[in-house]
Each structure stands twice: as structure tokens, then as C-alpha cells.
Amino acid sequence: MIGLILFLVLLVAVWQGFYWVFVDLLAVCKPYSVPSPQGVAERFVDLCGDGTLLSATGNSLLRGIGGYAIAVVLGVILGLLINRFQYLQKNLKPLVLGIQTLPSVCWVPFSILWFGLSTQAILFVVIMGSAFSIAISVDNAIKNVQPIYTKAALTMGASKRQLYLHVILPASLPELISGMKQGWSFAWRALMSGEVMTTSIGLGQTLIMGRDLADIDQVMLVMLVIVLVGILIDKCIFSVIETRVLKKRGLL
């Protein structure tokens, strides 16, 4: 922990030193084009003081979690269908893989035309940005289950329902969790794409406001908050669940 703190302090010191040398001393860069730690800290105090940053972060988290939850349900169903039916495996999966490569911003025009500048438009972008990734992860996780497990269960008379609930699901759980974590990263990025293009209060819109005001410190602050929230969600939720599952299975 101390090592991490020292590293971050050193990083901020290098950042501030870069600003002093190239902006204040040599005047190579313009002040409005390069953020400084001091400027970011001042914007943090200002935006926290009027509640803008807290409100934007809360709204983004609510939209992100809501859209991600829907994407998980849809992605799991789609992944199970692809895995279960050979026809879908051959014909639908390549299409899903192709759609997964689309940047989330590609869905923004559809969302605006269909839902307007609303929260539903943002949720649509989040769902489309992460559901297909989750579907592929579910299919791959089930495929990577050792065949001996299913053969043993079928030999002992397990039904299809018992096979999925008591054999395939537990055996694929570690890889499923990794897939869900990846799905969250896609959802969080898609959320920013949706908020940037709409007028709803959120981190994405706050970032665009900073751009429109030529306030590079605000832009940098919002970027840091987006990264920090993503790291906290991963460390406090997904990593904790993943560690417990791996320890329970003796893999850690």
C-alpha cells in the first residue's frame, strides 16, 4: 500500500514538473491545452462544492449498473442459446462476434433516433455495447468445461437441468466471472459514449461541458473519476467474487 502511494505521489510530481517546464518555463504548450495537478485539484473542489461531480457520478453509476444488469440477462440467454443449438452456433455466433467489434459510439445514432435524448437512449447504448461480449463469454465458458464432467454426470443419470445447474455452471463459474468483468468494462465505456452524445447529467456530459468551456482541467478530472470508478468496481466487486471462487476451488 505504501509503495502504491509513493508511486502515485511520484507520478503526480512528474506530471506537475512537466507542466512547469513545458508550460510555465519554456512556454512550448498553451495552458488551456495541458492540465495540471493543481488545476485538477481546484476543479475537484469546485465541482464537489456545488454537488456537480457527485451528482454526475451517481447518475452514471445508476445508468451503468442498470444497463449492465439488463445486458447480463440478455447476454446469458443469448450465450446459452448459442451453446445449446448447433444451428445458432454456426450461423448466429459469427454475427455476434462481428457486432461485438463495433465501437459503442456506433449505436448512438440509433439510440437517439429511437429514444431521443433520454436515459433510455443511454441504456440502449450500454446494453448493445456489452450484451454481445457477455454472450460470447458464456458460450466460451461452457465450451471450456472438461468433457469428463458432463460424461460422468450423464453416466450417473443426471437430467439436462441437473447437468447445467450442478455440473456445467459450477465448473464454468471462474471463466464466467471473468467474462462478466469484461462485460462491465464494455458497459462502462459504452455508458460514456452514450452520455457524451446526449444531454443527460452524468460524467460523460460533464466531460463534454469541460471541452465546450475549454477547461482542460475539468476534462482531466472527469477522466480520472471515470478510471477510478472503474477500478473500484473491479476491485471491490468482481475481484472479491473471483478470489472467493478461486479459493473455494483451491486455485489460489
Side-chain angles (χ1 to χ4, degrees):
M1 186 64 181
I2 296 178
L4 176 60
I5 294 175
L6 290 176
F7 174 77
L8 293 176
V9 170
L10 177 62
L11 197 62
V12 171
V14 171
W15 177 11
Q16 185 65 59
F18 176 89
Y19 185 87
W20 282 335
V21 171
F22 290 96
V23 177
D24 294 336
L25 183 62
L26 300 178
V28 175
C29 303
K30 301 299 181 182
Y32 59 80
S33 65
V34 180
S36 68
Q38 181 180 350
V40 171
E42 290 173 355
R43 293 305 295 145
F44 175 77
V45 172
D46 293 340
L47 293 179
C48 284
D50 61 16
T52 300
L53 188 60
L54 182 61
S55 175
T57 305
N59 288 335
S60 292
L61 274 174
L62 288 176
R63 296 190 192 108
I65 294 172
Y68 175 71
I70 298 173
V72 167
V73 173
L74 297 178
V76 168
I77 293 173
L78 182 59
L80 290 174
L81 290 174
I82 290 175
N83 182 266
R84 178 68 179 83
F85 298 103
Q86 194 64 26
Y87 180 82
L88 296 180
Q89 183 72 222
K90 290 182 178 180
N91 298 283
L92 182 59
K93 187 175 180 180
L95 179 61
V96 172
L97 284 169
I99 295 175
Q100 182 192 358
T101 63
L102 279 174
S104 302
V105 71
C106 293
W107 296 107
V108 173
F110 286 99
S111 67
I112 294 176
L113 289 172
W114 292 346
F115 303 102
L117 300 176
S118 63
T119 300
Q120 288 80 4
I122 299 174
L123 292 177
F124 175 80
V125 176
V126 174
I127 294 167
M128 298 303 292
S130 58
F132 297 105
S133 169
I134 294 171
I136 296 300
S137 298
V138 169
D139 178 52
N140 291 337
I142 295 175
K143 277 185 175 179
N144 291 333
V145 174
Q146 294 293 332
I148 189 65
Y149 296 160
T150 58
K151 290 179 181 178
L154 292 172
T155 300
M156 290 185 287
S159 64
K160 287 291 184 181
R161 180 175 176 274
Q162 291 173 327
L163 182 66
Y164 270 95
L165 290 179
H166 302 293
V167 179
I168 294 177
L169 179 59
S172 62
L173 198 55
E175 191 167 346
L176 279 174
I177 294 173
S178 297
M180 296 300 166
K181 180 162 61 173
Q182 178 179 303
W184 165 254
S185 67
F186 280 112
W188 189 239
R189 287 189 296 177
L191 174 68
M192 295 305 117
S193 299
E195 289 187 341
V196 160
M197 305 298 288
T198 62
T199 57
S200 299
I201 299 296
L203 290 173
Q205 184 60 28
T206 306
L207 186 146
I208 291 301
M209 288 172 59
R211 182 205 65 182
D212 294 341
L213 296 172
D215 189 345
I216 194 65
D217 292 321
Q218 179 169 322
V219 172
M220 189 65 189
L221 171 62
V222 175
M223 290 174 63
L224 291 175
V225 172
I226 292 171
V227 171
L228 181 60
V229 171
I231 293 174
L232 288 176
I233 293 292
D234 176 67
K235 295 297 182 183
C236 297
I237 299 178
F238 291 106
S239 293
V240 172
I241 296 173
E242 189 175 30
T243 300
R244 288 182 178 178
V245 170
L246 293 177
K247 282 185 177 180
K248 189 175 181 180
R249 295 171 181 274
L251 300 175
L252 280 180

